[in-house]
Amino acid sequence: MPISNVGLQILPFSKKKDTYALVDEAIKVIQESGVKYEVTAMETILEGELDELLEVVKKTIHATVEAGADEVAAEVKIHFRPQGTSIEEKVGKYRK
């Protein structure tokens, strides 16, 4: 199965809970999933088989609501290429 990249930005809305704490819950789900990922200032990039990544996206949304979000918006970007793709090929040349 080809390797894909998914960019995920979780946008929780809550009148009572801290936004960053809710985003932390989403990132915790990603960490526990076992997929390769990189957290950036605006989104988290996931790398793996597309079906698995989409399951992780669903779990992050549900976990954010379970943590106290009144509602959640998620911006999802998918890069699928039949021969596969990686985070490293996109940003490796910019790393020190």
Side-chain angles (χ1 to χ4, degrees):
M1 200 52 81
I3 299 298
S4 297
N5 292 142
V6 169
L8 174 61
Q9 182 181 36
I10 292 289
L11 303 162
F13 301 96
S14 176
K15 294 177 180 140
K16 298 178 183 175
K17 297 284 185 169
D18 175 65
T19 300
Y20 290 122
L22 293 169
V23 170
D24 286 344
E25 289 300 316
I27 293 171
K28 182 178 174 184
V29 169
I30 295 166
Q31 291 171 326
E32 293 173 352
S33 74
V35 301
K36 183 175 179 179
Y37 70 94
E38 288 190 20
V39 176
T40 71
M42 299 297 290
E43 68 182 358
T44 300
I45 312 301
L46 312 176
E47 182 174 295
E49 191 272 313
L50 184 57
D51 288 340
E52 180 181 21
L53 299 181
L54 294 176
E55 274 301 312
V56 173
V57 169
K58 285 192 328 187
K59 289 178 181 178
T60 62
I61 293 167
H62 292 293
T64 306
V65 170
E66 289 169 9
D70 299 318
E71 57 186 289
V72 178
E75 183 173 323
V76 179
K77 296 178 235 170
I78 299 171
H79 182 195
F80 176 86
R81 186 168 42 191
Q83 66 271 27
T85 186
S86 72
I87 297 169
E88 186 62 26
E89 76 179 73
K90 292 177 181 70
V91 299
K93 66 183 177 184
Y94 302 109
R95 293 187 174 141
K96 295 180 181 182

